[in-house]
Amino acid sequence: MKDSEHRQDASAGAGAELTARFAAEVDWTKVIDPAIPKPEGQYGPDLLERLWSPDLRTAHNAHAALHFTCSGDGGSVRPAAPEVLPFLVEAVRDPAVKVRPQILETLAVLARAGNEARAAAPGPGPGGWWRTAPAAWPAAWERAVDALLPLLAEDVEGDEDIRAGVAAVLARATHRADDLVDRFLARFEGEPDLSVAEQLVLAVGELASHAVERREDAVAWLRQRTADPGKGEEPDMDDDIDAWLAWMEQHGHDVRSAAIVALRRAVRPL
């Protein structure tokens, strides 16, 4: 494929307005492949354009490049991260993007690295390397958390992986533990999918030890989930159709296994 054709295909899913923002809102001098020196390692707006490509391989390769450029081996938040983070979040919010779950995994890696960089004492970490995050990261991450929150409430069929991935990412927002514990508990009550409900439970376990006002409530809630079978085993429809219909109308998930894991996380020492 010629370069011009490749570029046209890559930007087809993004649209002119969005591609213009890629050029205007990102400082591309900071978006550099850490393994390749300038100028060969310098990226441009076409990297984000390819993330929106309708071609899965193109989008996948763009995501892989963004992941490495933003986090390296995963131990640090690199200067590229706060520059492209708003568009990574925007990609997660766009159903047309084919690599949304993978982007959420990258956001989780960045969030963990950002937390560890803030918590690390001055000096090299294990192995003699430094955990770092640029000064712009905390504010960029705060805006990203706000932008991701609405995705928890979207009950779009087929978006279960996205809701679960968002919950896993937000579990890293430990500085907002009290607020997020409240949101996760409320969402659990209305969550129709078991896998998402389990991830919400695990997220509460991650945040409980960081919460101040809601820690005891979160731990108590997790203890309740360890003994709650939800709505129980599904009745045999052929044996008793009325019992099956009544069971189907109930809401409740058996998340006992996830709750046991989450409770252990919640009561661990920081």
Side-chain angles (χ1 to χ4, degrees):
M1 182 180 291
K2 295 179 180 179
D3 289 344
S4 60
E5 293 174 341
H6 177 86
R7 186 180 181 86
Q8 183 178 8
D9 173 73
S11 62
E17 181 178 353
L18 188 55
T19 55
R21 289 177 56 205
F22 296 157
E25 298 178 20
V26 176
D27 182 353
W28 289 99
T29 64
K30 297 179 180 179
V31 186
I32 305 167
D33 188 318
I36 305 174
K38 288 185 178 181
E40 292 82 1
Q42 181 76 60
Y43 286 112
D46 62 303
L47 179 59
L48 285 172
E49 291 175 17
R50 293 198 297 272
L51 195 64
W52 263 261
S53 173
D55 177 69
L56 179 58
R57 176 176 292 185
T58 300
H60 174 79
N61 289 340
H63 165 258
L66 282 160
H67 180 98
F68 187 60
T69 301
C70 289
S71 66
D73 62 2
S76 294
V77 179
R78 297 186 57 80
E83 296 296 323
V84 300
L85 181 63
F87 293 110
L88 294 179
V89 173
E90 195 154 343
V92 170
R93 292 164 58 93
D94 188 345
V97 175
K98 296 182 178 295
V99 289
R100 298 164 77 200
Q102 293 89 335
I103 297 171
L104 283 167
E105 292 175 4
T106 294
L107 296 183
V109 167
L110 288 169
R112 182 180 65 249
N115 288 344
E116 292 176 350
R118 288 196 297 271
W129 49 271
W130 295 74
R131 298 183 186 275
T132 61
W137 174 252
W141 170 231
E142 184 74 19
R143 291 190 294 270
V145 169
D146 288 332
L148 287 169
L149 279 171
L151 290 176
L152 281 177
E154 291 191 3
D155 294 334
V156 179
E157 186 176 353
D159 271 3
E160 294 84 2
D161 288 346
I162 301 303
R163 291 201 302 279
V166 168
V169 171
L170 293 177
R172 306 290 186 185
T174 54
H175 65 297
R176 291 178 56 170
D178 286 296
D179 171 47
L180 289 170
V181 164
D182 278 338
R183 290 175 183 269
F184 289 160
L185 297 188
R187 178 61 208 180
F188 179 86
E189 295 302 319
E191 175 52 53
D193 185 78
L194 173 60
S195 64
V196 182
E198 290 176 330
Q199 185 58 63
L200 290 167
V201 169
L202 294 172
V204 171
E206 289 289 347
L207 291 170
S209 59
H210 298 275
V212 178
E213 298 177 357
R214 299 291 279 146
R215 183 179 188 278
E216 291 185 5
D217 292 336
V219 171
W221 183 83
L222 289 171
R223 291 190 191 281
Q224 292 174 353
R225 300 287 76 72
T226 63
D228 183 3
K231 59 182 182 180
E233 185 178 353
E234 180 177 357
D236 191 314
M237 181 174 61
D238 295 331
D239 290 343
D240 190 338
I241 185 64
D242 291 334
W244 182 82
L245 288 172
W247 185 87
M248 289 295 292
E249 290 175 357
Q250 296 178 44
H251 177 72
H253 296 298
D254 183 352
V255 293
R256 287 176 290 183
S257 295
I260 291 170
V261 174
L263 186 60
R264 290 171 179 166
R265 295 176 181 175
V267 298
R268 68 190 174 190
L270 291 176

